[in-house]
Amino acid sequence: MSAETNQSAPPAAAPDDMSFSPALKRVMVVTTLGTFMAFLDTTIVNLALHPLSVSMHASLDTIQWLVTAYLLALAAFLPATSWLAGRFGAKNLYVLSIGLFTLASFACGLADSAGQLIAFRVVQGATAGIAVPVAQMLLVRTSGPKLMARAMSVTGVPTILAPVIGPTIGGLLLEHAGWEWIFYLNVPIGVLTVVLSLRLLPRDTREDTGRLDITGLLLIIAGGVALTYGLAEIGRQGRVSSSAPLLWSVAGLVLVAAFVVYALRARKPLVDLRLFKLPVYAAGALTSFCLGAAVFGASILLPLYFQIVRHEGAVVTGLLLIAQGIGVAIAIWRSARLIDKLGSGLTALIGGTVSIVATIPFAFIGAHTPYWYLCLLMFIRGLGVGGTTVPATTAIYRAIPPAKIGDATVQLNVLQRFGGSLATAVFIVVLQSQLAGAADPVAQAAGFGTAFWWVVAIAVGCTLPTFLLVSAERKAARAPAAAAAA
């Protein structure tokens, strides 16, 4: 089902000099603030789990639900975003989700028990799962096909840096202010985003979206939550042999498969999976899935290496990881120019190749590998990952009708989240098996090297669909000429 929101202000037209219109600039500012806050919150809490367990007098298993509950809520509410944006308006939905996220953040800081904190984290996850794709819808619709790559390259820099600097900011706040300020930090950003959204975003109108596809919604929510929980538990326990997480994962896969079958047969499904019949869209979506695995999954190994093998603290670990974020940001910032010159497919292929080349040396990581060398590799790897992200996304949105932007946005976000959850679980299981019995730093580093070979495999998997993207783009470009000749 399409959930396009009709706006009273038309999409910003691309002028001859390809400069951003005032309307597009306003949308870019507002959506970047909201997504920055949401992405920052995905990693800033990770370092606070142990201090929170002490402060709340709760076990680590209980406090771990701060992360799990956030992911489950995000998985549950994300699929309905397209329908909600069409029914209530993208602007209204964005303002509401950011406002509730801000209130939930304030409530998290005031919580005095683990149960209260987990409940408020559920609200955070649910509203973040709505706000991020709606922000993407607003940006894509306002920028139009010609300015899309440039707009994404500008707004993508702060949103990519947010989860990278999250651990560093979290560590500094823990040392100098207290765990409450990890959540209070969102309050001024959220209030500013709501005020600017009300003033700057174009007014939109509601449309008749029809009845909500309850059957499809229940199937995808149940499947997404079960799969996310199962993978999260497998990653937390570090093994697949535990029957309960495995059963949850299998049940989730079955329910997701049932949703796919149902959506392809339904007359007005929750999201239009028929978009995958478009070769460019299918190739770009597969690249996005693998990118989710490469970015979210691989980000778990390096922090653990610095903390387990090199015995670094949270702040130092966070500072070391910034090198990769800088590489990603620079590549995203410059990718629009390459897309205009080479096309989305070839640009993504180059980025994927750079990512593979820069990831292979991590498989030979040692207990005393110089930090400058690791930071250089992370920077180059960031260039590769960032050089793949914007081209793949741009190709997807250029390949679909404007009426399908809502469906495509939801599908891409779901694929990236599932890719990240799956890769995280796999990497942790492999790492735990390698570290078992490894007492000295040399043996531990060798275990990380083995785990990084899996990251190399993911990087290869991320690059292979770009060949399909190149081929599909060339066929699409030849089609109008062939039709004109005929």
Side-chain angles (χ1 to χ4, degrees):
M1 185 203 75
S2 170
E4 182 187 12
T5 301
N6 296 323
Q7 298 180 352
S8 58
D16 293 337
D17 60 354
M18 296 294 286
S19 61
F20 295 146
S21 68
L24 178 55
K25 290 178 181 178
R26 291 193 290 267
V27 172
M28 290 168 64
V29 169
V30 173
T31 55
T32 300
L33 277 173
T35 51
F36 176 85
M37 181 175 62
F39 279 119
L40 182 68
D41 212 62
T42 59
T43 58
I44 197 172
V45 181
N46 292 350
L47 298 178
L49 296 181
H50 184 266
L52 281 169
S53 68
V54 175
S55 177
M56 298 288 183
H57 304 289
S59 65
L60 274 177
D61 284 342
T62 300
I63 293 297
Q64 180 67 32
W65 273 93
L66 291 177
V67 177
T68 305
Y70 185 92
L71 294 175
L72 294 181
L74 189 148
F77 282 82
L78 178 59
T81 302
S82 180
W83 186 88
L84 291 172
R87 172 57 62 91
F88 301 105
K91 174 183 176 179
N92 296 332
L93 185 59
Y94 185 69
V95 171
L96 178 62
S97 59
I98 292 295
L100 291 175
F101 184 92
T102 304
L103 290 175
S105 299
F106 184 68
C108 284
L110 297 176
D112 57 6
S113 70
Q116 292 179 8
L117 191 55
I118 292 170
F120 295 136
R121 281 287 286 174
V122 169
V123 180
Q124 277 192 315
T127 50
I130 294 174
V132 172
V134 172
Q136 198 169 354
M137 291 179 201
L138 289 167
L139 179 63
V140 171
R141 287 170 179 165
T142 309
S143 62
K146 293 183 179 179
L147 290 175
M148 192 183 304
R150 290 192 61 215
M152 287 184 176
S153 67
V154 173
T155 59
V157 173
T159 54
I160 284 294
L161 285 178
V164 175
I165 64 176
T168 304
I169 295 176
L172 291 172
L173 290 174
L174 283 173
E175 289 186 5
H176 302 290
W179 65 264
E180 297 89 349
W181 285 94
I182 290 178
F183 302 104
Y184 288 153
L185 180 65
N186 293 325
V187 176
I189 303 176
V191 171
L192 178 63
T193 304
V194 169
V195 172
L196 291 179
S197 298
L198 292 172
R199 292 176 60 87
L200 301 181
L201 288 180
R203 181 180 301 173
D204 54 15
T205 57
R206 303 174 186 179
E207 67 174 28
D208 183 13
T209 56
R211 296 180 61 183
L212 178 63
D213 181 11
I214 299 296
T215 302
L217 182 62
L218 291 177
L219 282 173
I220 192 60
I221 285 179
V225 169
L227 183 58
T228 302
Y229 174 72
L231 293 174
E233 284 296 291
I234 289 174
R236 187 179 66 84
Q237 297 179 15
R239 63 181 188 276
V240 189
S241 57
S242 182
S243 58
L246 188 59
L247 287 175
W248 278 104
S249 301
V250 172
L253 286 173
V254 171
L255 288 169
V256 170
F259 168 77
V260 171
V261 173
Y262 168 81
L264 290 175
R265 296 180 177 180
R267 193 165 63 91
K268 290 187 177 181
L270 184 67
V271 289
D272 188 3
L273 297 182
R274 297 176 182 88
L275 289 174
F276 283 93
K277 293 181 179 179
L278 301 173
V280 174
Y281 181 86
L286 183 56
T287 303
S288 295
F289 174 80
C290 295
L291 273 173
V295 176
F296 295 105
S299 64
I300 197 70
L301 292 181
L302 278 171
L304 291 175
Y305 165 80
F306 288 127
Q307 292 174 338
I308 294 175
V309 180
R310 309 301 284 266
H311 304 291
E312 297 290 356
V315 175
V316 174
T317 298
L319 291 172
L320 289 169
L321 295 174
I322 289 179
Q324 180 166 292
I326 294 174
V328 173
I330 291 176
I332 288 179
W333 178 44
R334 304 295 294 180
S335 60
R337 296 180 182 271
L338 283 177
I339 292 173
D340 292 337
K341 291 181 180 180
L342 305 177
S344 299
L346 189 56
T347 304
L349 176 59
I350 294 173
T353 304
V354 171
S355 177
I356 294 173
V357 173
T359 305
I360 290 175
F362 283 105
F364 303 96
I365 198 169
H368 306 288
T369 304
Y371 282 167
W372 68 264
Y373 178 64
L374 294 177
C375 288
L376 177 62
L377 290 176
M378 285 189 287
F379 174 77
I380 297 174
R381 184 176 186 273
L383 290 175
V385 172
T388 311
T389 303
V390 172
T393 307
T394 302
I396 288 171
Y397 284 116
R398 285 178 174 175
I400 62 172
K404 299 297 182 182
I405 289 175
D407 293 328
T409 302
V410 171
Q411 292 174 27
L412 293 181
N413 278 272
V414 169
L415 286 171
Q416 289 174 353
R417 297 294 174 179
F418 282 172
S421 298
L422 178 61
T424 299
V426 170
F427 293 159
I428 291 297
V429 168
V430 173
L431 182 62
Q432 289 280 59
S433 66
Q434 294 297 316
L435 293 183
D440 61 284
V442 175
Q444 292 171 345
F448 276 93
T450 301
F452 271 111
W453 277 116
W454 287 77
V455 182
V456 173
I458 292 294
V460 173
C462 184
T463 305
L464 290 178
T466 63
F467 287 99
L468 301 176
L469 195 57
V470 172
S471 176
E473 275 192 326
R474 289 178 177 175
K475 289 180 180 178
R478 288 196 297 264

